[in-house]
Amino acid sequence: MNNTMQKIIIGLFVFIYAINSHAASSQANGEVHFSADETVKFSKQVEKSLAEKGARVFIVSRVGRPVKELPPGFNYTHTGIGVYSIITTTDGKKIPGYTMYNLYQKNEQPNQSELIQDYPVDFFSGVYKLEAGIIIPKPELQKRLLQVINSDTYRDLHNPKYSAIANPFNSTYQNCTEHTLDVLNAAIYNTSDIELLKTNSKEYFDAQRVKVNPFKMMLGSIFSADIAISDHDENVETATFTTIGEYLQEYDLVQEQFSITLKQ
Amino acid sequence: MKNTKILTVAVLMTLGTTQAAYAQGSAQHFSEAVGHSAQATGHSIVAGAKLASSAVAVPLIVIGGVGQVSQAAGEDLWDIANQPIGAPLPISDETVSVGPAPNIAIKNDVQDEGEGI
């Protein structure tokens, strides 16, 4: 083997090493960005802010990853519904506070989801940024949302087949924002008929186009169980906290919309 | 010449594997970036804080029979439940968290039992 061949081989291994390093650094799971005290303080701040406004039900979102890593148009990474509740603690105390109603992707099976109730401090644990997106619906919609959440419809609207970019206009897959949209529409139209809900979504709701390099999207659908593109036509579109806000604003169903960041 | 061929095949195989790993990393990154719903990783993150565990929570409002709070819950809570939407609401200073997952809870119980023996 001559010197030139040796240089080529060394060069190739350096190239391989560089690619591997990049691949490893692109996976950032489970990082802790805030102390327990900061998370608890922020969660209580969110609760008190909503309680001062008398919100019985609100739509809430969190920032789980740096916004610069999200596709254009995505500002939040998870959306759920907050409900003012009486909470019975394990030691028997009854205290007033908010409960979060979520569709969460299963950690062990990322292409499956489940409906989970937790609390603000759980909801904001592990976030990248202490910021909450909030939509307080008009009182009539709050009342109707409570009726849906307390009925079988809330669970009936859950489709456990999960895709992070689920098409909100059909029932093939579902993500947290699509479930939230379905619950909202069930409350607005007073029906649990999923076909009717999807028809109305197609007519009145504008989804967020997912602007991602098609090659990257294809890789995502091949290598990630929680990314499906088979439920989409030409354009990949999904529901987001922002598009849900725009939808409710357009039809005059919002009492107030704002974001909350940690008070220093 | 033979050595060169073997090396070339080895390098190409390594490159192939690496590209697949890179593709998977990239895809995973995309998945995490758009994944709205990954459960908060962080019950352990707030483990250091003083939290109360919740047994159950029900909406605190009475609208046309909706809401499971009754007068038995106490006069104060009954009054809150019947306030109109928009009226300021009290919030406990206590911070409540969900309990551990069943698979963790059952291990804790076993551990406790073991310590008691």
Side-chain angles (χ1 to χ4, degrees), chain A residues 61 68 76 96 104 108 174 201 230 235 248:
Chain A
S61 60
K68 66 179 182 194
Y76 297 95
Y104 280 137
E108 307 299 323
Q174 193 178 53
S201 288
S230 59
N235 294 326
L248 296 178

Side-chain angles (χ1 to χ4, degrees), chain A residues 1 22 26 44 48 51 54 56 62 65 70-71 77-78 84-86 88 90 93 96 119 122 146 164 176-177 226, chain B residues 7 22 29 31-33 36-38 53-56 58 60-61 77 80 83 86-87 89-90 92-94 97-98:
Chain A
M1 200 183 304
H22 179 71
S26 66
K44 198 50 73 180
K48 290 192 170 176
R56 299 284 183 162
R62 70 182 182 209
R65 292 186 67 82
L70 304 178
T77 55
H78 172 63
Y84 188 72
S85 305
I86 177 170
T88 306
T90 46
K93 273 185 288 185
Y119 300 92
D122 306 306
L146 274 172
C176 59
T177 36
D226 54 345
Chain B
L7 270 169
Y22 173 68
H29 189 223
S31 163
E32 285 167 6
H36 317 206
S37 306
S53 281
S54 150
V56 67
V58 294
L60 185 48
I61 192 167
L77 292 173
I80 296 165
Q83 278 178 13
L89 300 162
S92 170
D93 285 328
E94 232 174 301
S97 173
V98 290

Side-chain angles (χ1 to χ4, degrees), chain A residues 217-237:
Chain A
M217 187 93 75
M218 186 193 71
L219 289 179
S221 67
I222 293 170
F223 289 106
S224 297
D226 54 345
I227 298 284
I229 51 175
S230 59
D231 57 330
H232 294 274
D233 298 326
E234 196 177 325
N235 294 326
V236 175
E237 293 180 313

Side-chain angles (χ1 to χ4, degrees), chain A residues 28-33 62 64 104 107 122-127, chain B residues 37-46:
Chain A
N29 270 330
E31 290 173 26
V32 178
H33 299 283
R62 70 182 182 209
Y104 280 137
N107 287 332
D122 306 306
F123 188 89
F124 293 110
S125 296
V127 293
Chain B
S37 306
Q39 196 161 351
T41 52
H43 298 310
S44 59
I45 294 165
V46 289

Side-chain angles (χ1 to χ4, degrees), chain A residues 62-63 65-78 164-166 175 177 207-212 217 236-243, chain B residues 30 33-36:
Chain A
R62 70 182 182 209
V63 184
R65 292 186 67 82
V67 171
K68 66 179 182 194
E69 288 181 12
L70 304 178
F74 288 74
N75 301 309
Y76 297 95
T77 55
H78 172 63
I165 51 169
N175 58 19
T177 36
Q208 173 65 50
R209 175 106 174 258
V210 184
K211 291 175 191 160
V212 172
M217 187 93 75
V236 175
E237 293 180 313
T238 195
T240 64
F241 173 78
T242 305
T243 54
Chain B
F30 170 62
V34 296
H36 317 206

